[in-house]
Amino acid sequence: MTSIRFLGAAGTVTGSRYLLDTGRARVLVEAGLFQGRKELRLRNRAPWPFDPESLDAAVLTHAHIDHTGALPLLVRDGFRGRTHCTPATRDLCGLLLPDSGRLQEEEARYANRKGFSKHAPNAQPLYGEEDALAALPRLSPLPYGERREIAPGVTVRFHRAGHILGSATAEVEAAGDGRPLRILFGGDLGRYGAPILPDPEPGLPVDALLVESTYAGKRHPEGSPAEGLQAEVERAVTTRGVLLVPSFAIGRTQEILFDVRELERTGAIPELPVYVDSPMAVDATPIYLAHREDHDQEMARRLAAGEDPLRPARLAFVRSPEQSKALNGVRGPCLILSASGMATGGRILHHLVHRLPDPSTTVLLVGYQAEGTRGWSLQNGAPTVRIHGQDVPVRARVATLSGFSAHADEAELSRWLATFPAPPRRTFLVHGEPSALAAAKVRMDLLGWPAQVPHHLEELTLA
Ligand code: ZN
């Protein structure tokens, strides 16, 4: 009997973890951290509902922390098998997981210093940088399209998902005690026609499918975000202002660099200084260039012609804290890209302290801003935001470019589903807030496509 247990991203967006048990082998697909509300984050501290030592293998669809961030815990708690992922996912995990460990350590130190955790005066990090570093050698890269046996009777093969560099859907074949099954773990699905990455690969004949629902029922704005970016750059040039862009270090930053370079190349905008002030973005950019198996035709063509499509003419990577502080003296027009994308931490904070009181600055929001974050406050017109214990007045202009997204919207999800030769026998709708999952269920019902929304910790028999 083969079963699947939904240990995360069931009824919510984060914490992707699915336990596949064939009777002969146990494989964990995804090892994500829960993020957001406290009740979700507390799940990260709950004991594993299985013995990590009993796992044969793990599989990761892509490097985002809500799909990989619990791997250090799994290894610390006794998992001794290999973790299979694409080569680019392995490289990006090498940046993201140690960073996640450092953040956990910082948060614990902060909580102890501030006496936040009355109930646990010695707040312990969920895990530390050392735990993350110990997990990295267990990552075992598997190129797209190659099939590998990862546990007795279980094979995996990756297909491109177009979400971030290295992202994949994971096709798992499981021959256990029962009938052999083919299951497609959809991971996170990217956009069609996005720069740098290829479109999601078409669906396959499978017995069971897990499909994300982050933007189910929603449409991304029409038109390319590059047009909005062009208008903002033109405005900055006219007003001699600074465009300050809180940006995710991996994915979004590279996409913006691509667009700026492209706008410059076609003469749509003048060449202006672009500063990337995020050590992780600085490290991730060469990884984006190196993994040619992840590039779309346009990106491949540019690279083959000897161009660097991620390098605007006047690009400067800023690595040291001193260089970062020195940017305070820089005048517009220019672009400063810095993390984090929702202004919850990182170097963007000191730029905001310095630039928010300045009316010549535009803070350009280019990603989703979760409720309660500083980015969200700015987006919603807050007159001040609190940073490092001080209320900083917002005199800068705040603008949102909403076209950037790494996730398929409703039309794109439907387009991908239409590439399947037939609806699988079972489809599980995961990785969405309850309202999005409900919208996804309505769509599947209209398509006459059997689908269900699993509950957290629910275990279902597949065959
Ligand atoms: Zn993702």
Side-chain angles (χ1 to χ4, degrees):
M1 216 169 61
T2 295
S3 68
I4 183 168
R5 195 158 182 218
F6 295 87
L7 304 179
T12 188
V13 180
T14 62
S16 285
R17 306 169 179 186
Y18 314 105
L19 181 66
L20 189 70
D21 192 333
T22 69
R24 288 171 63 201
R26 276 179 157 186
V27 172
L28 188 70
V29 181
E30 316 275 44
L33 271 195
F34 289 96
Q35 297 167 315
R37 297 196 307 275
K38 188 165 186 193
E39 72 195 73
L40 289 174
R41 282 183 283 123
L42 284 173
R43 287 184 186 170
N44 292 324
R45 301 210 175 241
W48 296 96
F50 59 87
D51 177 3
E53 277 184 57
S54 74
L55 272 189
D56 294 278
V59 171
L60 305 174
T61 63
H62 65 288
H64 277 151
I65 286 296
D66 64 320
H67 292 251
T68 61
L71 190 67
L73 282 178
L74 196 68
V75 171
R76 192 181 69 188
D77 295 346
F79 169 52
R80 291 291 167 264
R82 292 203 291 168
T83 299
H84 306 272
C85 61
T86 64
T89 295
R90 193 263 315 262
D91 289 355
L92 291 178
C93 281
L95 300 180
L96 281 162
L97 292 180
D99 182 70
S100 173
R102 283 191 294 274
L103 276 176
Q104 305 286 348
E105 287 169 341
E106 259 169 45
E107 274 171 27
R109 269 199 302 275
Y110 185 73
N112 287 329
R113 208 169 52 234
K114 292 282 173 183
F116 279 164
S117 46
K118 286 197 192 97
H119 308 292
N122 291 307
Q124 293 294 319
L126 188 59
Y127 58 84
E129 186 177 5
E130 290 297 317
D131 298 308
L133 292 172
L136 294 179
R138 296 177 182 281
L139 294 174
S140 183
L142 173 65
Y144 294 110
E146 291 182 19
R147 187 175 291 286
R148 174 186 285 165
E149 182 163 16
I150 59 170
V154 181
T155 66
V156 68
R157 184 162 64 151
F158 291 121
H159 307 276
R160 290 168 182 82
H163 168 63
I164 60 165
L165 195 85
S167 64
T169 61
E171 175 199 350
V172 173
E173 279 191 0
D177 298 340
R179 191 172 72 77
L181 284 174
R182 202 190 261 188
I183 308 148
L184 188 65
F185 291 86
D188 285 358
L189 200 67
R191 318 266 329 258
Y192 288 87
I196 306 173
L197 304 175
D199 289 349
E201 285 188 46
L204 305 160
V206 289
D207 299 289
L209 167 68
L210 281 78
V211 60
E212 69 127 317
S213 306
T214 316
Y215 286 95
K218 298 219 167 75
R219 286 299 289 264
H220 293 317
E222 299 281 334
S224 118
E227 291 163 23
L229 189 61
Q230 179 184 345
E232 288 297 338
V233 170
E234 282 168 354
R235 193 175 194 284
V237 169
T238 311
T239 60
R240 308 198 63 74
V242 171
L243 267 178
L244 181 59
V245 188
S247 175
F248 301 104
I250 291 177
R252 189 59 36 85
T253 295
Q254 290 74 30
E255 208 176 334
I256 289 174
L257 291 178
F258 181 95
D259 283 345
V260 171
R261 149 108 200 172
E262 195 58 18
L263 290 167
E264 287 180 356
R265 200 182 61 83
T266 57
I269 58 170
E271 293 170 354
L272 78 170
V274 177
Y275 303 96
V276 173
D277 182 18
S278 149
M280 195 187 288
V282 173
D283 289 338
T285 303
I287 296 177
Y288 255 77
L289 288 168
H291 282 280
R292 304 204 167 193
E293 73 279 12
D294 275 285
H295 295 159
D296 67 7
Q297 282 184 353
E298 184 63 19
M299 181 80 175
R301 205 178 55 74
R302 294 277 154 87
L303 284 167
E307 295 175 37
D308 181 344
L310 303 184
R311 180 168 281 279
R314 297 172 70 188
L315 175 69
F317 284 123
V318 176
R319 198 175 274 277
S320 74
E322 294 72 33
Q323 288 172 315
S324 175
K325 297 229 165 65
L327 289 183
N328 285 350
V330 166
R331 292 171 171 235
C334 70
L335 266 129
I336 300 175
L337 300 166
S338 188
S340 73
M342 296 189 248
T344 50
R347 290 184 180 176
I348 189 69
L349 294 185
H350 92 76
H351 293 298
L352 287 170
V353 169
H354 180 70
R355 305 271 177 193
L356 277 178
D358 175 3
S360 75
T361 295
T362 293
V363 178
L364 189 60
L365 301 171
V366 291
Y368 175 72
Q369 305 296 321
E371 198 171 330
T373 61
R374 290 189 192 88
W376 182 85
S377 299
L378 288 169
Q379 195 165 42
N380 285 278
T384 64
V385 287
R386 201 160 179 82
I387 303 174
H388 299 147
Q390 54 170 312
D391 289 317
V392 182
V394 182
R395 294 193 198 96
R397 173 172 163 267
V398 178
T400 297
L401 277 188
S402 52
F404 287 104
S405 175
H407 287 272
D409 69 0
E410 177 60 35
E412 290 163 318
L413 286 165
S414 294
R415 178 171 168 184
W416 186 62
L417 289 170
T419 64
F420 281 74
R425 231 164 11 88
R426 310 280 295 268
T427 291
F428 304 104
L429 304 171
V430 295
H431 201 290
E433 295 298 346
S435 59
L437 292 164
K441 179 75 174 86
V442 168
R443 172 227 303 144
M444 300 307 259
D445 288 349
L446 285 171
L447 290 171
W449 182 308
Q452 70 188 100
V453 179
H455 303 293
H456 183 54
L457 299 181
E458 191 172 8
E459 183 168 9
L460 294 163
T461 301
L462 294 175

